[in-house]
Amino acid sequence: MKTFNPQSVVALALAVGAGMAAAADRDLSCTLKFTSRQWSAVYSSAEGEGTVSCDNGTSMPVTISAKGVGLTAGKWKITDGTGKFTRVTAIEDVLGSYLAVSGDAGAAKAGTAQALTKGKVSLALAGKGEGFDLGIAISQFKISKP
């Protein structure tokens, strides 16, 4: 008959905890390069494409889309968009829908910057392009495989 050994339980718990801490330390550094086209008139819509790249050598082509509502008007395109993800453990973590709240005012050479969140994963976006935009909107920003 085997007996209960409390030291074994403690050792196992410490090993599991150390493994979880090591996994948390392995967050990937991932970035997004993208282009997009967007218009808005109360309802806003954007579509684009890009590539997610991570520091472990993985990359993935993606499509991006955003749909939202607010007090907005405009039409523009982002030709040099970038994004930085945080709290990513696998490249697939970047896929899905993010919540975005934005306020914009721009003309001619438009620019944008937004912070988005999806559970534990966050995404900071920035971009340069041309067009005009005025207003405030709440939208869903979605990254998916093509």
Side-chain angles (χ1 to χ4, degrees):
M1 174 180 221
K2 295 190 178 194
T3 60
F4 175 73
N5 184 343
Q7 289 84 9
S8 296
V9 173
V10 171
L12 179 62
L14 289 174
V16 169
M20 290 172 61
D25 290 341
R26 290 192 297 251
D27 280 355
L28 295 176
S29 176
C30 298
T31 57
L32 170 67
K33 301 280 186 192
F34 71 95
T35 60
S36 69
R37 300 151 305 285
Q38 186 162 348
W39 61 267
S40 67
V42 178
Y43 176 81
S44 64
S45 178
E47 292 183 357
E49 53 279 327
T51 303
V52 174
S53 302
C54 298
D55 63 354
N56 67 351
T58 59
S59 65
M60 174 175 47
V62 295
T63 59
I64 59 174
S65 62
K67 307 281 187 237
V69 295
L71 301 172
T72 65
K75 181 178 181 180
W76 64 99
K77 64 180 177 179
I78 301 297
T79 55
D80 185 20
T82 60
K84 172 97 172 111
F85 295 94
T86 58
R87 310 247 352 213
V88 173
T89 56
I91 195 166
E92 292 79 14
D93 291 349
V94 305
L95 299 173
S97 297
Y98 295 76
L99 177 63
V101 176
S102 64
D104 299 303
K109 295 289 183 188
T112 187
Q114 289 185 320
L116 313 164
T117 184
K118 175 189 75 115
K120 69 177 183 110
V121 178
S122 295
L123 170 60
L125 290 176
K128 297 177 188 171
E130 52 189 53
F132 72 95
D133 181 35
L134 178 63
I136 186 165
I138 298 173
S139 61
Q140 178 186 38
F141 184 88
K142 185 174 183 181
I143 300 175
S144 55
K145 291 184 178 181

